[in-house]
Amino acid sequence: MKKDEDENKKIKQLESVSRDNYGKEMTANEGVKISDDENSLQAGDRGPTLLEDFLMSEKVAHFDRERIPERVVHARGFGAHGVFELYESQEELTMANFLQDPAVKTPVFVRFSQVVGSKGANETNRDVRGFAVKFYTEDGNFDLIGINIPIFFIQDGIKFPDLIHAVKPEPHNAIPQGQTAHDTFWDFIANNPESAANAMWIMSDRAIPRSFRMMEGFGVHTFRLVNKSGKSRFVKFHWKPKLGVHSLIWDEAQKLGGADPDYHRRDLWENINAGNFPEFELGIQVLEEDDEFKFDFDILDATKLWPEEDVPVKIIGKMTLNRNVENVFAETEQIALHPGNIVRGIDFSNDPLLQGRLFSYTDAQMARVGVNYQQLPINRPICPVHNNQRDGASRYVIDKGKVAYHNNSLANNSPNTVPGTKGGFVTYPSTVEGQKTRKTAPSFKDHFSQARLFWNSMSSIEKSHIIHGFCFELGKVKSVSVRQQAVNMLGRISTELAVLVARELEVDAPNVQESQVRKSSAALSMANTKFLPNTLRVGVIVGEGFDGQSTQYILDQLIQVGLQPVIISARIGTVKGNFGVELKVDDSFLTGSSLLYDGLYIIGGREEDDYTLFKTKTFVVETYNHFKPIGASQDGVAILQSLGIIGAPGVIIEHNPTLFANKFIDAMAKQRFWERV
């Protein structure tokens, strides 16, 4: 689609199957107008319901079938529409049409998700997050199915059921929901050392992201890019958030699960509605085929990343999410994503985990959504589709004619195949040789080097959080044997890490050789991300009689840099200051929570009762303990004085409105003040 065309082709296509029921006459699904939708057909006023009530039967039977089976994994998810724009042609690397012309805007749909929890799980549990993108290209759909961690737990798809059985609630009591802190998960990790590096990632803050808008996405697997000359290169895909990579802290994440179990979806929904469109840049790591074996790890091993210092990430385009869904079930729940959905110019590698997923995802979508899932509006390509597939449950397409096979003469051999020279997909002819076997390749057997690389790359505060993560998770494990095995595994990564965790758990410090890797990667530490104030929420606590003039000036300054003030007071309604300034209250102390804001600005007021003072102090203490910025002016200064935190890092006191605004904005951009520890 060219830039001078305003409409997104996918949105336009979806509009053709959308309907607005407002103001319309009610009918049954076959079109019969309904005169009464509140009473079933009965034999007399108090008699039994009659079997002939076809309207009730249709309504209730449809209701009984309104839910499809939730996904086995990634059940809890939320999605949005957007567009992808290329920065410059990638013709040298690939013949994929959507990567040729920077003037083309490709429609996309993104589904963010959690791996472990059911649809009812809260959204701030420690977990891997899904980051799946469907590109609706002019040559068909390309699905980039990723997560917010660059590696996976296992190397071969045949072990995926075992991993998920281990991480899901334990079958004898269905506990715990959406969490990894239990015996069977850590028993799996301890006895499958290929999971060691991923265990480090999920115990880090990466597993409790601040927002879907502030987490990286990784394609995980090694794919191929193939250009028009037939030259192939290996590639990994990355999504880099324009707002930087930021996370919650553990105490905050746990409490948010109660304060707002829909925290992540609400954040995405509200920001898109407000015009704060999330942006992610697409990056690629590219390796020449001749360099396949130059590293001390196997590039096809999904438990390994390619260090960015060794293989730089080239930024090639940007994705903008600019439209919320109209109906979560019809779009987000029915979206069927599959790593086997590729287009000409992109192909698979021999990564054994990817190879397993190529079967699993097709099978899962057919079982969950139905054999004709590609015909649902959200899954339908924007290009024409013609083939000889027929029938099956819930088929939407009405195919004309009597011929449904190939080759044929009755329909002049149509639909026709398309040669590769004219745009047909041709599989890259990679060389395959060797005896049939079931064994792990020797190059896949180093399980601890990259786990140690990750540990070496962490800042001191990140290391502290990882230690606490292991202590919490393994502290929930009832089996002493499993705890000991897991700590022994940590010893293979870092003696320091293992000793500290062992001490907390009262198990033996392991007597094993730690990894000798001394290399680190700056790209792995979130301490090196972008720090911006954009879209962060500031809880502004205001009481009656505040200084309206300076308050309005400061709020305007915060809004100018992209901060989002949320006015908090004792009651919902309005709060009045002098100079005729009146503020609409967004949250009361009862409906709000300090957990929901990225920082606090305390203004106070002339007429504060004991309840207001108590709740304000409660908000301040929790915000302070979560290392977030706090500012105060006017009557709010006395509250911070009473708590004894004036002068602490990230606590801003300034009576000049301009100076206060500048200092507070800088503090909000920094986001956390770990010096308070």
Side-chain angles (χ1 to χ4, degrees):
M1 180 175 292
K2 301 299 182 183
K3 284 190 175 180
D4 57 357
E5 295 179 48
D6 293 330
E7 289 185 288
N8 177 310
K9 281 188 176 179
K10 186 60 189 179
I11 299 301
K12 186 176 180 180
Q13 184 192 64
L14 291 175
E15 287 174 352
S16 70
V17 294
S18 299
R19 69 182 180 192
D20 185 354
N21 295 312
Y22 182 77
K24 304 298 192 299
E25 294 180 328
M26 182 181 289
T27 71
N29 284 328
E30 297 290 347
V32 176
K33 293 180 181 179
I34 296 174
S35 60
D36 187 329
D37 189 47
E38 297 180 19
N39 298 285
S40 57
L41 186 63
Q42 299 171 342
D45 289 347
R46 301 178 66 248
T49 299
L50 300 178
L51 185 61
E52 71 180 66
D53 190 349
F54 70 99
L55 295 176
M56 184 195 72
S57 296
E58 179 191 271
K59 182 178 181 180
V60 174
H62 189 280
F63 171 77
D64 291 343
R65 294 161 176 79
E66 281 184 359
R67 295 294 176 264
I68 58 178
E70 68 175 38
R71 291 165 168 86
V72 177
V73 288
H74 297 277
R76 177 75 163 170
F78 204 68
H81 293 275
V83 293
F84 172 75
E85 300 172 81
L86 190 68
Y87 289 156
E88 59 182 4
S89 175
Q90 301 302 308
E91 181 180 13
E92 181 186 351
L93 296 175
T94 178
M95 58 183 133
N97 273 341
F98 79 103
L99 296 177
Q100 304 297 306
D101 185 359
V104 171
K105 289 186 177 181
T106 302
V108 298
F109 186 87
V110 177
R111 187 177 187 271
F112 301 108
S113 58
Q114 292 168 264
V115 170
V116 178
S118 70
K119 283 176 63 177
N122 81 65
E123 295 189 336
T124 57
N125 282 341
R126 182 182 294 279
D127 197 359
V128 177
R129 284 349 189 250
F131 194 131
V133 183
K134 186 180 284 291
F135 294 80
Y136 301 97
T137 86
E138 299 288 352
D139 289 333
N141 294 344
F142 167 51
D143 292 356
L144 182 52
I145 315 298
I147 54 178
N148 71 325
I149 289 173
I151 59 174
F152 203 63
F153 294 90
I154 53 175
Q155 297 171 325
D156 194 304
I158 199 171
K159 295 181 72 169
F160 192 71
D162 301 301
L163 167 65
I164 301 307
H165 290 167
V167 75
K168 283 287 188 176
E170 297 182 2
H172 66 297
N173 59 11
I175 296 173
Q177 175 56 247
Q179 298 178 55
T180 54
H182 59 101
D183 288 46
T184 58
F185 175 72
W186 285 103
D187 184 43
F188 179 90
I189 297 296
N191 286 281
N192 291 271
E194 67 203 74
S195 302
N198 198 283
M200 296 294 289
W201 280 84
I202 63 171
M203 289 303 100
S204 78
D205 292 342
R206 296 278 187 150
I208 43 175
R210 157 65 180 83
S211 163
F212 292 143
R213 302 175 296 116
M214 300 174 192
M215 68 182 193
E216 285 184 291
F218 301 91
V220 177
H221 299 294
T222 298
F223 288 86
R224 291 181 182 271
L225 293 180
V226 185
N227 66 19
K228 289 181 179 178
S229 301
K231 180 176 175 57
S232 166
R233 297 174 177 88
F234 295 108
V235 64
K236 278 185 180 280
F237 295 101
H238 298 249
W239 291 109
K240 303 282 189 181
K242 295 293 289 289
L243 292 175
V245 185
H246 300 281
S247 291
L248 303 170
I249 61 174
W250 180 234
D251 181 70
E252 182 183 25
Q254 286 186 294
K255 292 175 179 176
L256 268 169
D260 186 0
D262 304 305
Y263 179 74
H264 281 143
R265 64 183 56 204
R266 191 186 311 279
D267 172 87
L268 184 66
W269 175 273
E270 290 181 348
N271 275 282
I272 291 177
N273 270 353
N276 301 322
F277 299 146
E279 295 180 328
F280 300 85
E281 290 188 303
L282 179 62
I284 54 175
Q285 288 178 293
V286 180
L287 272 181
E288 298 290 339
E289 283 200 320
D290 291 344
D291 293 333
E292 180 177 358
F293 301 106
K294 79 172 190 178
F295 302 100
D296 58 1
F297 58 88
D298 196 314
I299 68 165
L300 302 183
D301 182 352
T303 68
K304 305 295 188 294
L305 56 84
W306 301 356
E308 293 187 24
E309 290 77 11
D310 297 334
V311 188
V313 175
K314 176 185 177 184
I315 300 299
I316 65 170
K318 181 181 71 173
M319 175 174 68
T320 304
L321 302 183
N322 55 16
R323 179 185 172 113
N324 279 314
V325 298
E326 297 287 351
N327 184 286
V328 172
F329 178 82
E331 297 169 81
T332 307
E333 280 306 298
Q334 293 195 136
I335 189 81
L337 297 141
H338 174 27
N341 290 342
I342 57 174
V343 293
R344 198 171 79 114
I346 301 173
D347 212 332
F348 310 120
S349 74
N350 294 337
D351 171 350
L353 181 61
L354 173 60
Q355 294 286 319
R357 293 178 76 198
L358 296 179
F359 164 77
S360 176
Y361 276 65
T362 298
D363 190 58
Q365 302 299 0
M366 285 187 177
R368 191 180 71 89
V369 187
V371 68
N372 288 307
Y373 69 88
Q374 296 105 324
Q375 294 180 10
L376 291 170
I378 191 62
N379 296 318
R380 194 177 302 162
I382 60 173
C383 61
V385 174
H386 301 285
N387 57 47
N388 290 315
Q389 295 179 22
R390 293 292 185 271
D391 307 339
S394 301
R395 189 166 181 86
Y396 293 80
V397 174
I398 300 174
D399 292 289
K400 299 178 181 179
K402 62 181 179 180
V403 174
Y405 51 89
H406 193 91
N407 293 316
N408 67 71
S409 63
L410 294 177
N412 198 26
N413 219 23
S414 61
N416 308 296
T417 57
V418 182
T421 54
K422 295 186 178 180
F425 183 90
V426 177
T427 296
Y428 177 73
S430 59
T431 301
V432 179
E433 59 184 16
Q435 295 179 329
K436 294 180 181 179
T437 184
R438 289 185 186 271
K439 63 181 181 181
T440 301
S443 55
F444 277 50
K445 290 185 176 179
D446 173 16
H447 304 313
F448 300 103
S449 293
Q450 288 211 349
R452 180 56 186 252
L453 170 70
F454 185 75
W455 177 252
N456 292 345
S457 305
M458 296 295 97
S459 65
S460 59
I461 193 67
E462 287 173 309
K463 285 185 175 181
S464 173
H465 290 173
I466 291 170
I467 293 166
H468 290 157
F470 277 113
C471 290
F472 176 87
E473 295 270 320
L474 295 174
K476 291 284 189 177
V477 171
K478 305 304 181 185
S479 167
V480 176
S481 172
V482 170
R483 290 204 301 266
Q484 185 67 64
Q485 291 175 69
V487 169
N488 291 346
M489 180 197 73
L490 296 183
R492 301 287 299 276
I493 301 168
S494 163
T495 300
E496 174 194 17
L497 170 61
V499 167
L500 291 170
V501 175
R503 184 183 305 160
E504 181 73 20
L505 300 177
E506 291 191 347
V507 298
D508 295 334
N511 182 23
V512 295
Q513 178 64 49
E514 71 172 2
S515 169
Q516 296 304 298
V517 170
R518 295 295 175 259
K519 182 179 178 180
S520 64
S521 171
L524 303 184
S525 172
M526 291 193 297
N528 301 316
T529 193
K530 299 174 185 175
F531 291 91
L532 303 167
N534 307 55
T535 76
L536 298 178
R537 288 161 55 89
V538 181
V540 182
I541 299 181
V542 187
E544 294 289 342
F546 64 91
D547 183 341
Q549 194 171 42
S550 65
T551 296
Q552 191 62 64
Y553 170 81
I554 291 171
L555 293 180
D556 289 343
Q557 297 303 302
L558 302 186
I559 292 169
Q560 277 188 22
V561 299
L563 288 166
Q564 302 181 70
V566 179
I567 307 302
I568 307 164
S569 198
R571 287 166 293 280
I572 295 294
T574 58
V575 59
K576 297 179 181 179
N578 57 20
F579 296 101
V581 175
E582 190 172 305
L583 298 175
K584 178 181 177 296
V585 176
D586 300 300
D587 289 341
S588 69
F589 290 124
L590 181 62
T591 63
S593 166
S594 66
L595 300 161
L596 303 176
Y597 320 116
D598 299 291
L600 282 183
Y601 170 31
I602 315 301
I603 299 170
R606 302 296 183 190
E607 305 170 21
E608 293 182 329
D609 55 25
D610 290 342
Y611 172 75
T612 297
L613 288 171
F614 170 75
K615 294 300 292 185
T616 299
K617 289 180 180 180
T618 301
F619 272 52
V620 170
V621 168
E622 190 160 51
T623 301
Y624 184 87
N625 290 339
H626 290 157
F627 310 100
K628 297 176 184 177
I630 300 168
S633 63
Q634 304 174 40
D635 299 291
V637 175
I639 294 175
L640 301 195
Q641 285 176 330
S642 69
L643 293 171
I645 62 173
I646 290 179
V651 178
I652 310 300
I653 303 297
E654 176 58 62
H655 295 289
N656 181 294
T658 300
L659 291 177
F660 174 84
N662 292 337
K663 290 180 180 179
F664 187 68
I665 289 167
D666 289 342
M668 286 297 301
K670 186 175 178 181
Q671 301 189 30
R672 305 278 186 182
F673 290 83
W674 305 116
E675 309 95 301
R676 292 177 190 165
V677 176

